[in-house]
Amino acid sequence: MSAAVLAGASSLMTEQPSNELRSNELPSRRVSQQRLVGRLMEMARIGATVSGGVDRAALSAEDAAAQALMAQWGASLGLRATRDAAGNFFLRWEAGAGAPLVSGSHLDSQPTGGRYDGVFGVIAALEAVQAMQETGLAPRRPVEIVAWMNEEGSRFAPGMMGAAVYGGARALADILPVRDQAGISVEAALASTAAALPGIATRPLGGTPYAYVEAHIEQGPELERAHCPIGIVSGIQGKHTFRVTVRGEAAHAGTSTRAERRDALLAATAMVQALARVLHDEADVTKFTVGRFDVTPSAPSVVASQVIFSVDLRHPDSQELRRLSALVAPACEAAAGPCEVEVSRLSAADSLAFPAAMRARLRAAADRLGLAHRDLLSAAGHDARYLHPICPSAMLFVPSRDGVTHNEAEFTEPADLYAGACVLADVLAELAMSTGQP
Ligand code: HGY
Ligand code: MN
Ligand code: MN
């Protein structure tokens, strides 16, 4: 345990662990910074990019390799690896009885992703389980580590597919036909990933956990600016996503006249500018992003026949988000000119607030360890969004250097990763031993 955490823990043991845990040693004392960071760096070799990040697309060979590595680490702890029909990956510590305690995040990344987004929560959960086992703790319930399928939504849109299907917010039949830009369907990619992981059994889809806790990097600058190692996540801001398809007509760049053209690129760019105007928020609270802009045939001497672009719209106030969301289709239609436009809404999630009792457990664990913490709303989306409706859920953050993320330069200090894993380990141990409601 790092000096900072040890010093704090001894001076602040006023906050006693819950009764159920008092008889056990706190597993945070067995968390190993070296093992945690070593596993993160070993995992970062899978899909490593030349600029120091990772490219581990959902249901890719790299995603399968990452799950195989988790299964290998899990086997050394006696954890059984399984996958469900939505491609969610689980490591199960068979213990006690009843609904499982679940912790994890995602292993897939953005194409130029960092070494910590998602994967920190999966490997910190593994570290917490190992620390619990090393204290001799005998959980009252099974404990499951999870890696949700396609959290990022970069290969297949929308994101958080696996958690949404597990939580019942989306039907498996809805995600199977979704195709990536190469035309490969989720269904085909699920089959090829399963074939790449022959030793991993299939488990029934869904479930109702006893509780869910997800550790994640903040992906913002607040904790670092406040010199605070732990974020207690108050909730997740709302997020609506769209796919806009603009159809025109391919034509010769030299012979077709402006008057007769149906230029899908000109129409699409007019739509993006119109959306930027109508969604502009001087207070800078509304987040509007066009991240994908696919032109067909994307040839210098051909007038574009089609453009497909993404819209990602977020706001912490659900009512305001719905108001803004209703402006998207009209703004696109008004800017379509001679082209056709089809606006499809892919996801619509309100803002959510995690239960106070779960947040209090995270705060008490951080206090016991002498770790400064602060409450903050998550501006980024997370799989916990889909666990929240079905079981008491919570998230804890660790700082992101300069708030940089979805970027190969993403970084979190090892001491902060360690502090987050210590808090996670103690909270999971409490929940694993609890006789009451989470
Ligand atoms: O979209 C999100 O906020 C997440 O990082 N994929
Ligand atoms: Mn993430
Ligand atoms: Mn992400």
Side-chain angles (χ1 to χ4, degrees):
M1 179 174 278
S2 80
V5 176
L6 260 183
S10 54
S11 65
L12 268 159
M13 284 305 277
T14 48
E15 288 266 355
Q16 283 300 319
S18 62
N19 292 337
E20 298 92 349
L21 194 58
R22 194 171 295 143
S23 57
N24 287 278
E25 176 194 0
L26 284 173
S28 50
R29 295 183 185 282
R30 300 295 182 110
V31 168
S32 161
Q33 177 173 315
Q34 186 187 1
R35 185 169 59 198
L36 172 72
V37 176
R39 283 178 172 153
L40 276 166
M41 292 306 109
E42 186 173 347
M43 184 64 80
R45 286 208 286 270
I46 300 176
T49 61
V50 292
S51 308
V54 294
D55 178 6
R56 229 176 6 240
L59 299 177
S60 63
E62 292 79 13
D63 195 10
Q67 292 179 25
L69 182 56
M70 286 301 300
Q72 179 192 314
W73 285 332
S76 69
L77 302 179
L79 309 181
R80 183 166 179 262
T82 55
R83 294 175 81 240
D84 67 19
N88 297 310
F89 171 86
F90 299 85
L91 290 174
R92 183 177 169 103
W93 180 5
E94 203 58 61
L101 168 62
V102 181
S103 181
S105 188
H106 59 93
L107 291 172
D108 68 302
S109 78
Q110 292 292 346
T112 52
R115 298 178 169 189
Y116 305 91
D117 177 358
V119 60
F120 166 63
V122 180
I123 292 180
L126 180 71
E127 182 59 32
V129 164
Q130 183 152 4
M132 284 194 264
Q133 290 186 349
E134 289 177 356
T135 65
L137 188 124
R140 295 180 190 278
R141 54 188 52 85
V143 181
E144 292 183 343
I145 297 160
V146 62
W148 301 110
M149 190 278 280
N150 187 31
E151 188 279 342
E152 294 290 12
S154 60
R155 181 183 179 191
F156 301 107
M160 297 171 220
M161 272 184 179
V165 170
Y166 177 91
R170 202 178 280 278
L172 180 64
D174 286 349
I175 70 168
L176 296 180
V178 174
R179 292 182 184 278
D180 65 10
Q181 290 181 290
I184 298 171
S185 68
V186 165
E187 186 169 22
L190 281 168
S192 53
T193 309
L197 297 164
I200 297 183
T202 303
R203 64 180 255 163
L205 194 53
T208 306
Y210 169 77
Y212 175 74
V213 186
E214 178 169 352
H216 204 284
I217 55 171
E218 179 198 340
Q219 298 185 291
E222 262 195 72
L223 291 177
E224 184 185 51
R225 283 182 189 154
H227 305 291
C228 187
I230 300 292
I232 311 293
V233 184
S234 55
I236 301 176
Q237 73 170 339
K239 171 181 173 182
H240 288 200
T241 61
F242 301 80
R243 179 183 56 246
V244 181
T245 305
V246 185
R247 295 187 183 90
E249 185 180 14
H252 193 297
T255 57
S256 64
T257 63
R258 176 184 46 71
E260 66 191 2
R261 285 183 181 188
R262 295 177 56 236
D263 186 330
L265 192 142
L266 283 188
T269 49
M271 289 175 199
V272 171
Q273 291 309 318
L275 288 170
R277 283 191 299 275
V278 77
L279 299 172
H280 177 76
D281 173 8
E282 202 49 43
D284 204 355
V285 174
T286 304
K287 301 291 187 319
F288 159 65
T289 310
V290 174
R292 170 166 286 156
F293 195 87
D294 296 331
V295 182
T296 303
S298 194
S301 302
V302 180
V303 172
S305 57
Q306 176 177 280
V307 170
I308 297 178
F309 67 87
S310 62
V311 173
D312 181 316
L313 182 61
R314 310 195 195 196
H315 197 285
D317 178 316
S318 299
Q319 204 172 347
E320 175 63 2
L321 179 59
R322 288 186 191 153
R323 183 188 73 78
L324 294 168
S325 187
L327 301 176
V328 171
C332 291
E333 284 148 13
C339 296
E340 290 147 28
V341 62
E342 180 188 351
V343 179
S344 311
R345 195 164 71 176
L346 302 178
S347 67
D350 280 349
S351 277
L352 67 87
F354 290 119
M358 289 292 282
R359 286 154 52 188
R361 282 186 185 270
L362 287 171
R363 275 192 214 100
D367 286 339
R368 265 199 310 271
L369 290 163
L371 292 167
H373 54 81
R374 65 185 309 167
D375 290 7
L376 73 168
L377 176 76
S378 178
H382 299 287
D383 293 303
R385 160 178 298 293
Y386 291 104
L387 278 293
H388 172 67
I390 63 170
C391 71
S393 299
M395 288 191 75
L396 74 93
F397 278 168
V398 294
S400 294
R401 183 175 63 189
D402 302 329
V404 168
T405 186
H406 281 192
N407 180 308
E408 293 160 299
E410 185 180 271
F411 181 76
T412 296
E413 291 292 344
D416 290 333
L417 297 168
Y418 170 75
C422 286
V423 173
L424 181 68
D426 287 353
V427 170
L428 291 182
E430 269 207 348
L431 289 166
M433 298 303 290
S434 170
T435 54
Q437 283 307 307

